[in-house]
Amino acid sequence: MNTTNLQQRRLNTVLGLLFTALMLLAFSLANAWAGTPRSTVLPMPEPPFKGKIGRTYKDSQPDKIPIIKAPGGAPNVLVVLIDDAGFGQWSTFGGQIPTPRLDRLAQGGLRYNNFHTTALCSPTRAALLTGRNHHSAGTGTITELSDAYPGYTGQIPKSAAMISEILRQNGYSTAFFGKNHNVPDWETSVSGPYDRWPGLQGFDHFYGFIGGEANQWAPAVYRDHQRVEMEVPKGKEGHYTLNDSLADETINYIFQQKSVTPDRPFFVYYAPGATHAPHHVPKEWLDKFKGQFDQGWDKYREEAYQRQLKLGVIPPNAKLTPRPKEIPAYDSLTPDQKRVAARLMEAFAAYTAQTDYEVGRVLDAVDQIGQLHNTLVFWIIGDNGASMEGTPYGAFNEMAAIGGIAEDPSLLVQNLDKIGGPNAYNHYPVGWAWAMNTPFQWGKQIASHLGGVRNPMVITWPDRIKDRGGIRTQFHHVIDIAPTILEAAKLPIPKEVNGVKQKPIEGVSMLYSFNQADAPSARHVQYFEMLGNRALYKDGWIAAARHGRLPWTMGSYDFDKDQWELYDLTQDFSEADDLAAKYPDKLKKLQDEFWVQAKKYQVLPLDDRLAERGDPRLRPSLIEGRTQFTYYPGSVRIPESSAAPIKNTSHVITAHIEVPQGGADGVLVAEGGVVGGFTLYIKDGRPAYEYNYATQSRYKVAASQPLIAGPNVIRMAFRYDGGGLGKGGTAALFVNAKKVAEGRIEHTAWGRFSADETFDIGQDTGSPVGADYASPNAFTGTLKKVEIDVQPANLSAADQEEVRSMELKASHAME
């Protein structure tokens, strides 16, 4: 036998043995851990080796590789969380806005009309994902108001592991699409840390935005930990928003996940950020609602109330609560104010309808791959009630309203056709938010009353829910979602996760209600608290105290002056009849119980302050004594809270550039966007500085001569007038130490430019600050670095306090 044949036979033998080994390995993997009893310690302890190890593979026997699988029959889970939505907004629960996809889902599942949230965005999301009350999860309010009290750190503790981490370690694929406002404000930059980002909280994938709201036309989005720009499909320019993108990303993920691992269930958390302001929506959606809300908010509530009675989503004895005196009657508005209010509501309605359509596309995708029957869907209509932060008459630029910058009514009238588009940042009037919360009192932020905390929900799971189209009236709370998922997946509540002992899950499973319409509620007690607004529910009764400040105003109030109300929710669905005077002993018992619950769940101390409670030292750009900032190429999409603090003080911006032969154009440095900001850029070879004051005024200083080729130093020196906040100043432009232009800037922003725009060098990402270029307008020369020197602000203690107050108000409204 020749050498070649011998080598070939040996090779064939080796290949045969390898094939056999691979087959045995595949068999082992297919049967590994599928039926293993679930551990309450995660990750599960590695099983001992049960094979045999000899000197060589011939006298050895391998064990099975421990691959974790989900329990048999565990469903896919899709949690959809809508933003800033009220009980009377969607047609499924009596709203005027047609939402056929939610209607269809409800016809095949269950409508819950006694489900509750926390009255604010970040706290509700923390409670949903952890199964603990928001204070227990360190999220008593938004992260910008964080302090060192346990219930208010803004940091979800590792002792409150998210449902995503529990499912991931039990064989689920996990993904998060949309809004994430549970990352501490001081941890949102490229420097991290990333401990409290989705990737380290149990999510395999994340695509969405970090913060309270996003410009739907030009969002600042992340893919996992990386900043990316939203890709608009060719041919859809001007017709494609973040709402579309998030649905596309979710659908693509589900298709890919089921293509690769069809037997592995998925957990998808889909929180699109809609219908939070700004109410951006393509024109084709907006046109559908023209003229449909001319009746005004008072009439709307009457009509929605009648529809709710007819649908059976409120009981026959439910009453329509009256309009608070603080909200103007629609008939008191001027003709122009009515035109503006109607148009702003049309934009909101269009935004809602588009959102319903996009969620419907995701559900259609699950159905298309044959998975809808075994998918447990929670579609929660709101993380709180509809937002009452749009001022009494609405806003073209909500950031101006937040900053206390009055908008001339004529500005809104002149820009009616821009509402909903990329050059607006619109929010509707308080009266429309109140109407969206029909039949309840108040709305977002007001945790004491149902308008702020009672959000409708639809649940479907065709394999398990047989009462198609049913209504459920059991009292439940957002903390009950996580334990419901665990019971549906046949998983125990873990006692330890990643080496950290866990706080008890404070929610209860809702699974019992799926096929028992008349079952008594498993939840007997629930507290509510947000910025001093508080309530205590117990066995059908609720004691409530609204605490002073209105959502569209500022101020701190005396807790001892709060007036408590008492309602019997078993007979009074909408909190219409205050029984405090009739049953003072009952009220006192519930008040006492509130303090018991408050102590137990880290609610104390109560605090209604905004300006004083947040810790400014957590802002990266406010490191004590730092006045010089240097930014190098690639520094883009830096959060405004992490950028150089140039407001209310003199400062100098210096760009070191190289201009090629033939010239160069583009942005050198910019902060903000269409809502307000500044930009230093070059156009037609000439440097220019532009200041956008809340879309109301634009100030521009520009050189008359183009730059020469070669090295150039462009410097803008701003000399602040002083004398308080938001004052004007003089901007001087220098090229290679020679002054080339100077001009006045009469007004400047005294707080944040925007909710989601960022600081960039070398380009202007997001929406453009400048009026005469489109984003990103990248610089075509070489940008070596940008330096910013900030003169310490010479502000009084009162002014500093007001700045802090405004910035926190802006952050709060962004929820």
Side-chain angles (χ1 to χ4, degrees):
M1 183 180 298
N2 61 43
T3 303
T4 301
N5 289 338
L6 180 59
Q7 291 176 338
Q8 184 63 49
R9 289 180 62 186
R10 287 176 176 171
L11 177 60
N12 291 341
T13 300
V14 171
L15 291 175
L17 289 171
L18 180 59
F19 176 77
T20 301
L22 289 173
M23 291 298 291
L24 288 171
L25 177 60
F27 178 79
S28 297
L29 293 180
N31 291 279
W33 278 23
T36 301
R38 299 289 149 164
S39 173
T40 58
V41 176
L42 298 176
M44 297 184 195
E46 294 185 6
F49 178 74
K50 295 181 180 179
K52 175 186 175 183
I53 299 178
R55 289 192 172 185
T56 70
Y57 69 89
K58 292 181 178 180
D59 57 353
S60 301
Q61 180 66 43
D63 195 1
K64 298 175 181 178
I65 294 179
I67 302 298
I68 299 173
K69 288 189 174 184
N76 304 305
V77 180
L78 172 63
V79 176
V80 180
L81 181 63
I82 304 301
D83 207 329
D84 283 7
F87 193 93
Q89 178 177 330
W90 297 55
S91 62
T92 316
F93 290 86
Q96 181 179 326
I97 305 168
T99 51
R101 282 79 184 176
L102 183 63
D103 292 348
R104 183 180 65 190
L105 194 73
Q107 290 165 6
L110 302 171
R111 286 171 291 173
Y112 285 75
N113 68 355
N114 204 0
F115 181 77
H116 303 82
T117 58
T118 71
L120 201 60
C121 155
S122 300
T124 289
R125 292 158 198 266
L128 186 157
L129 290 169
T130 67
R132 283 89 171 178
N133 285 298
H134 54 301
H135 295 90
S136 292
T139 316
T141 182
I142 57 175
T143 61
E144 292 84 353
L145 297 180
S146 299
D147 57 34
Y149 293 110
Y152 299 92
T153 63
Q155 301 172 315
I156 297 175
K158 296 184 184 300
S159 58
M162 290 186 177
I163 184 68
S164 48
E165 180 69 2
I166 299 170
L167 293 177
R168 185 187 68 81
Q169 294 203 36
N170 277 283
Y172 271 74
S173 297
T174 59
F176 182 165
F177 300 94
K179 170 177 172 174
N180 184 348
H181 206 170
N182 291 114
V183 178
D185 188 50
W186 57 94
E187 295 180 1
T188 59
S189 75
V190 68
S191 296
Y194 293 101
D195 301 59
R196 281 171 281 274
W197 283 56
L200 290 177
Q201 291 178 323
F203 289 101
D204 298 326
H205 298 284
F206 171 68
Y207 176 81
F209 62 98
I210 305 292
E213 68 183 46
N215 183 324
Q216 290 284 310
W217 295 103
V221 292
Y222 289 86
R223 189 178 301 282
D224 300 320
H225 294 159
Q226 300 299 316
R227 283 278 196 183
V228 296
E229 296 301 318
M230 181 179 75
E231 296 181 7
V232 178
K234 188 175 182 180
K236 291 189 176 182
E237 296 84 358
H239 304 276
Y240 192 88
T241 63
L242 180 60
N243 235 354
D244 301 286
S245 179
L246 290 170
D248 284 345
E249 290 280 342
T250 305
I251 291 167
N252 289 340
Y253 170 79
I254 290 172
F255 281 171
Q256 290 188 47
Q257 192 269 345
K258 286 302 178 187
S259 295
V260 177
T261 52
D263 296 329
R264 182 184 300 169
F266 62 70
F267 170 66
V268 170
Y269 176 44
Y270 175 43
T275 49
H276 194 295
H279 303 151
H280 285 156
V281 66
K283 186 176 183 298
E284 57 267 26
W285 283 99
L286 190 53
D287 289 345
K288 296 178 181 181
F289 293 91
K290 187 174 179 60
Q292 291 194 20
F293 297 94
D294 294 345
Q295 78 271 40
W297 46 72
D298 294 291
K299 185 66 175 177
Y300 178 100
R301 275 181 66 97
E302 295 172 4
E303 295 169 348
Y305 169 68
Q306 292 299 325
R307 286 190 296 266
Q308 289 169 339
L309 288 171
K310 186 176 180 180
L311 286 170
V313 295
I314 64 175
N317 65 345
K319 296 179 181 180
L320 180 63
T321 57
R323 173 172 39 79
K325 65 182 185 300
E326 295 87 350
I327 299 175
Y330 191 77
D331 286 345
S332 71
L333 273 58
T334 67
D336 277 351
Q337 287 174 332
K338 289 181 178 179
R339 287 180 62 199
V340 169
R343 188 58 172 171
L344 290 169
M345 181 59 209
E346 290 166 11
F348 181 75
Y351 191 23
T352 301
Q354 183 208 27
T355 302
D356 175 74
Y357 171 78
E358 299 298 345
V359 179
R361 287 205 300 126
V362 173
L363 292 169
D364 288 345
V366 177
D367 192 22
Q368 179 183 333
I369 59 176
Q371 291 288 329
L372 193 59
H373 69 95
N374 190 39
T375 298
L376 174 56
V377 179
F378 300 85
W379 190 342
I380 306 169
I381 307 303
D383 52 354
N384 41 248
S387 170
M388 309 186 90
E389 297 151 343
T391 77
Y393 304 105
F396 179 72
N397 178 358
E398 68 157 334
M399 294 306 299
I402 291 169
I405 301 170
E407 287 186 327
D408 190 321
S410 64
L411 174 71
L412 285 96
V413 174
Q414 294 166 8
N415 288 284
L416 279 180
D417 291 341
K418 294 181 181 179
I419 287 173
N423 293 314
Y425 218 76
N426 45 288
H427 201 326
Y428 61 2
V430 169
W432 279 124
W434 170 66
M436 295 303 101
N437 294 324
T438 303
F440 305 121
Q441 302 183 54
W442 301 107
K444 178 182 177 182
Q445 296 189 28
I446 309 298
S448 55
H449 288 76
L450 296 179
V453 298
R454 183 166 290 176
N455 289 90
M457 176 175 62
V458 171
I459 298 178
T460 64
W461 185 8
D463 278 356
R464 288 289 303 274
I465 294 175
K466 304 307 178 185
D467 183 17
R468 310 288 170 81
I471 294 176
R472 294 295 182 266
T473 61
Q474 291 89 353
F475 185 99
H476 278 288
H477 189 270
V478 68
I479 60 176
D480 300 332
I481 299 297
T484 304
I485 294 171
L486 291 178
E487 184 179 0
K490 304 174 187 175
L491 294 172
I493 295 173
K495 296 179 180 179
E496 182 179 307
V497 177
N498 298 329
V500 180
K501 290 184 178 179
Q502 294 296 291
K503 294 184 176 184
I505 291 283
E506 294 159 5
V508 297
S509 173
M510 303 169 62
L511 207 66
Y512 72 95
S513 69
F514 286 5
N515 291 309
Q516 297 182 58
D518 298 327
S521 175
R523 173 162 295 288
H524 300 283
V525 180
Q526 180 61 47
Y527 81 88
F528 298 90
E529 193 280 334
M530 189 59 60
L531 296 169
N533 298 295
R534 56 205 187 276
L536 191 285
Y537 167 87
K538 187 172 184 179
D539 292 327
W541 289 81
I542 191 166
R546 187 179 71 81
H547 180 68
R549 186 183 64 83
L550 298 168
W552 59 95
T553 65
M554 300 291 288
S556 182
Y557 294 81
D558 186 346
F559 285 96
D560 292 334
K561 294 182 179 179
D562 289 342
Q563 295 295 312
W564 282 82
E565 301 163 7
L566 178 68
Y567 300 98
D568 178 3
L569 296 183
T570 65
Q571 303 299 319
D572 181 11
F573 181 82
S574 60
E575 293 182 327
D577 298 317
D578 180 10
L579 303 176
K582 187 174 182 180
Y583 300 110
D585 292 342
K586 183 71 173 180
L587 176 60
K588 179 63 166 56
K589 288 181 180 179
L590 293 178
Q591 289 174 306
D592 291 343
E593 182 63 27
F594 173 82
W595 295 114
V596 172
Q597 297 289 311
K599 182 177 181 180
K600 180 178 180 180
Y601 295 116
Q602 303 180 166
V603 180
L604 305 179
L606 295 181
D607 195 344
D608 66 344
R609 298 173 303 163
L610 297 178
E612 301 94 332
R613 68 192 286 179
D615 189 345
R617 293 171 300 174
L618 295 172
R619 180 173 171 178
S621 60
L622 291 182
I623 297 174
E624 186 175 355
R626 185 177 180 188
T627 60
Q628 296 181 321
F629 301 79
T630 302
Y631 298 96
Y632 300 101
S635 298
V636 297
R637 285 293 195 186
I638 296 174
E640 187 172 345
S641 61
S642 298
I646 53 87
K647 303 178 187 76
N648 305 305
T649 188
S650 299
H651 56 274
V652 177
I653 301 174
T654 305
H656 300 261
I657 66 174
E658 187 88 24
V659 177
Q661 293 294 330
D665 285 345
V667 171
L668 304 179
V669 57
E671 182 175 32
V674 67
V675 293
F678 72 85
T679 177
L680 179 61
Y681 65 103
I682 300 173
K683 184 172 183 180
D684 298 328
R686 299 172 176 83
Y689 176 80
E690 182 176 344
Y691 195 95
N692 174 3
Y693 178 66
T695 68
Q696 297 188 16
S697 303
R698 290 179 178 273
Y699 307 98
K700 187 174 179 180
V701 178
S704 59
Q705 298 297 317
L707 299 171
I708 61 173
N712 285 270
V713 177
I714 313 300
R715 178 162 55 94
M716 190 288 300
F718 179 73
R719 187 172 66 253
Y720 188 60
D721 290 343
L725 305 174
K727 303 300 181 181
T730 302
L733 201 59
F734 297 81
V735 175
N736 300 325
K738 179 182 178 181
K739 183 187 291 187
V740 296
E742 185 175 83
R744 282 288 300 169
I745 296 175
E746 295 298 339
H747 304 282
T748 62
W750 61 293
R752 292 183 68 156
F753 289 127
S754 76
D756 66 329
E757 298 283 359
T758 52
F759 175 93
D760 310 289
I761 75 163
Q763 58 183 294
D764 183 357
T765 63
S767 65
V769 178
D772 57 357
Y773 64 77
S775 290
N777 194 25
F779 181 54
T780 56
T782 300
L783 177 60
K784 297 178 179 178
K785 64 180 178 179
V786 170
E787 298 170 317
I788 300 180
D789 292 275
V790 178
Q791 177 179 312
N794 186 22
L795 298 176
S796 67
D799 283 342
Q800 292 180 40
E801 190 70 12
E802 196 168 357
V803 170
R804 180 66 181 152
S805 177
M806 183 269 164
E807 291 195 340
L808 292 174
K809 181 184 176 185
S811 299
H812 188 68
M814 290 172 222
E815 289 287 329

